[in-house]
């Protein structure tokens, strides 16, 4: 189902106005090597030229069903094409693949439009992005006054910011944070694969207090964008303003690397991170996912607000951290 080389695929993605980090070919290696899921990279060609791509992951879960997702373990990565005809053909091939695999449903992430027969859902998540000023003082002035004061105070505390080359420092902070949120953490190997597969396009930034790591973030770089994606912090990070300093430092790191847009990423509507990002002056854009029901009769409700998951979330928050870390790799592979 793939004919183009990874380099040709990525060249198409990088040139497409809707191409994102989540469309890149290396996701196939990350997901297959970490979780052993089957992946598919569908293409549409016309006159020998690539005119459409769709990265997909087949996901089997007792909790969430059997799904074909574009793109799994990402907030985006839905099909992109050069024109309406190529898009229609790509969607048709995706649906045929889903039927051949016998999935319950197909999910296309951050895909504003699809052909008739697909159902849109935009009431769960929003994403945030905005420009980064080149000069530091101008960048600070872009931030609303109250949040700017928090950043300035954090800058005065003498915290140290470092770029890490492995997940060794990041992972304990991330795993604890995920346990406290009631969600299984991705395995350490997932982050090792990200760093290996994407090289300089994936980076870890960590804030230290007196040589002690207190906040850390794994970010993706794509085109002129920097996107903080996976984060973790110590219990006292909030009081120290470490998370605020972390994001501010990432903005400045983005400028160093030639980025002009800070992509603050996805948050659930009304949740704490949603308000936090608005405090930074970013306005939300609803994320529209498209669904095609095949074996299923109703749209999936994979939402932390779903009462069905409340007992599991509550239980997970009470687990001792070593127990949560042991169980997480067994469960997180289903959280694509």
């Amino acid at each position: 189902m793939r004919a183009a080389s990874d380099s040709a695929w990525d060249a198409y993605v990088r040139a497409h106005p809707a191409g994102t980090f989540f469309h890149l070919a290396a996701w196939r290696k990350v997901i297959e090597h970490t979780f052993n899921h089957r992946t598919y990279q569908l293409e549409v060609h016309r006159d020998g030229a690539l005119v459409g791509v769709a990265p997909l992951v087949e996901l089997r879960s007792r909790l969430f069903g059997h799904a074909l997702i574009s793109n799994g373990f990402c907030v985006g990565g839905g099909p992109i094409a050069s024109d309406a005809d190529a898009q229609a053909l790509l969607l048709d091939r995706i649906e045929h693949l889903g039927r051949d695999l016998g999935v319950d449903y197909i999910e296309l992430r951050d895909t504003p439009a699809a052909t008739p027969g697909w159902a849109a859902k935009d009431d769960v998540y929003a994403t945030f992005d905005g420009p980064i000023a080149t000069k530091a003082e101008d960048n600070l002035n872009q931030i609303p006054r109250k949040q700017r004061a928090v950043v300035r105070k954090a800058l005065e505390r003498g915290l140290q910011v470092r770029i890490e080359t492995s997940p060794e420092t990041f992972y304990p902070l991330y795993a604890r944070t995920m346990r406290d949120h009631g969600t299984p953490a991705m395995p350490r190997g997932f982050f090792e694969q990200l760093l290996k597969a994407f090289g300089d396009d994936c980076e870890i930034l960590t804030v230290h207090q007196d040589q002690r790591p207190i906040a850390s973030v794994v970010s993706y770089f794509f085109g002129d964008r920097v996107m903080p994606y996976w984060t973790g912090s110590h219990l006292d990070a909030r009081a120290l303003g470490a998370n605020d300093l972390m994001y501010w430092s990432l903005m400045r790191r983005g400028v160093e690397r030639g980025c002009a847009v800070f992509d603050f990423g996805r948050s659930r509507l009304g949740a704490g991170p949603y308000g936090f990002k608005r405090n930074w002056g970013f306005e939300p854009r609803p994320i529209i996912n498209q669904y095609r029901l095949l074996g299923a009769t109703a749209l999936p409700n994979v939402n932390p607000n779903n009462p069905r998951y409340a007992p599991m979330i509550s239980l997970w928050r009470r687990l001792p951290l070593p127990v949560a870390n042991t169980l997480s790799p067994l469960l997180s592979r289903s959280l694509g």
Side-chain angles (χ1 to χ4, degrees), residues 18-309:
T20 70
F21 185 84
F22 306 115
H23 290 95
L24 294 174
W27 280 105
R28 172 176 54 89
K29 298 176 183 177
V30 171
I31 292 166
E32 288 180 352
H33 291 173
T34 306
F35 304 109
N36 201 32
H37 292 315
R38 295 174 69 182
T39 64
Y40 305 87
Q41 291 185 275
L42 301 188
E43 304 167 359
V44 174
H45 294 259
R46 183 186 299 138
D47 299 327
L50 196 59
V51 293
V53 299
L56 296 123
V57 177
E58 182 184 4
L59 194 67
R60 296 177 182 269
S61 168
R62 291 183 179 180
L63 192 59
F64 306 125
H66 184 193
L68 186 64
I69 303 175
S70 180
N71 191 12
F73 299 92
C74 300
V75 300
I80 54 175
S82 300
D83 53 51
D85 289 342
Q87 179 81 348
L89 181 55
L90 193 54
L91 289 170
D92 185 64
R93 291 183 178 176
I94 293 171
E95 183 174 344
H96 274 86
L97 176 60
R99 292 189 184 279
D100 289 344
L101 296 173
V103 301
D104 298 323
Y105 64 93
I106 303 169
E107 179 179 349
L108 311 179
R109 293 186 173 166
D110 202 7
T111 303
T115 54
W118 293 81
K121 192 173 186 179
D122 65 354
D123 59 350
V124 180
Y125 294 103
T127 190
F128 301 76
D129 62 25
I132 315 172
T134 302
K135 294 182 179 179
E137 192 61 30
D138 292 342
N139 194 175
L140 268 174
N141 288 332
Q142 288 179 309
I143 304 170
R145 181 177 56 82
K146 288 185 178 180
Q147 183 61 45
R148 184 167 65 244
V150 175
V151 174
R152 289 192 186 278
K153 186 172 291 187
L155 286 167
E156 295 168 358
R157 286 199 168 96
L159 303 174
Q160 305 89 42
V161 178
R162 300 174 187 168
I163 303 301
E164 311 282 352
T165 57
S166 83
E168 181 178 354
T169 298
F170 159 81
Y171 194 78
L173 295 169
Y174 160 76
R176 188 207 63 78
T177 299
M178 294 299 286
R179 190 281 310 271
D180 290 355
H181 287 169
T183 303
M186 293 295 167
R188 185 189 300 262
F190 174 70
F191 299 100
E192 293 170 350
Q193 288 295 326
L194 284 175
L195 293 167
K196 179 180 179 181
F198 292 109
D200 291 342
D201 288 339
C202 182
E203 191 173 86
I204 302 176
L205 182 149
T206 304
V207 177
H208 295 253
Q209 181 195 39
D210 300 326
Q211 310 305 315
R212 180 178 64 111
I214 55 175
S216 191
V217 57
V218 174
S219 303
Y220 302 141
F221 291 83
F222 182 87
D224 66 348
R225 289 176 173 262
V226 53
M227 174 186 284
Y229 200 86
W230 307 94
T231 66
S233 59
H234 197 273
L235 289 171
D236 58 359
R238 182 174 181 180
L240 294 168
N243 292 317
D244 307 274
L245 178 62
M246 177 181 73
Y247 290 121
W248 163 253
S249 299
L250 184 60
M251 289 181 181
R252 304 316 304 157
R253 176 64 174 168
V255 170
E256 288 178 15
R257 294 191 47 163
C259 296
V261 178
F262 192 75
D263 188 336
F264 225 153
R266 184 185 79 170
S267 290
R268 183 162 40 88
L269 298 180
Y274 181 95
F276 177 77
K277 293 172 184 180
R278 295 202 72 173
N279 289 342
W280 279 77
F282 294 89
E283 289 301 317
R285 171 183 67 81
I287 293 178
I288 302 173
N289 293 345
Q290 300 284 346
Y291 296 87
R292 181 66 159 149
L293 300 183
L294 299 179
T297 57
L299 290 178
N301 187 11
V302 185
N303 182 342
N305 287 337
N306 186 341
R308 176 185 180 189
Y309 306 133

Side-chain angles (χ1 to χ4, degrees), residues 175 178-179 183-185 316 319-329 331:
M178 294 299 286
R179 190 281 310 271
T183 303
W316 198 265
L319 288 177
L321 190 55
V323 175
N325 287 347
T326 299
L327 295 176
S328 281
L331 300 175

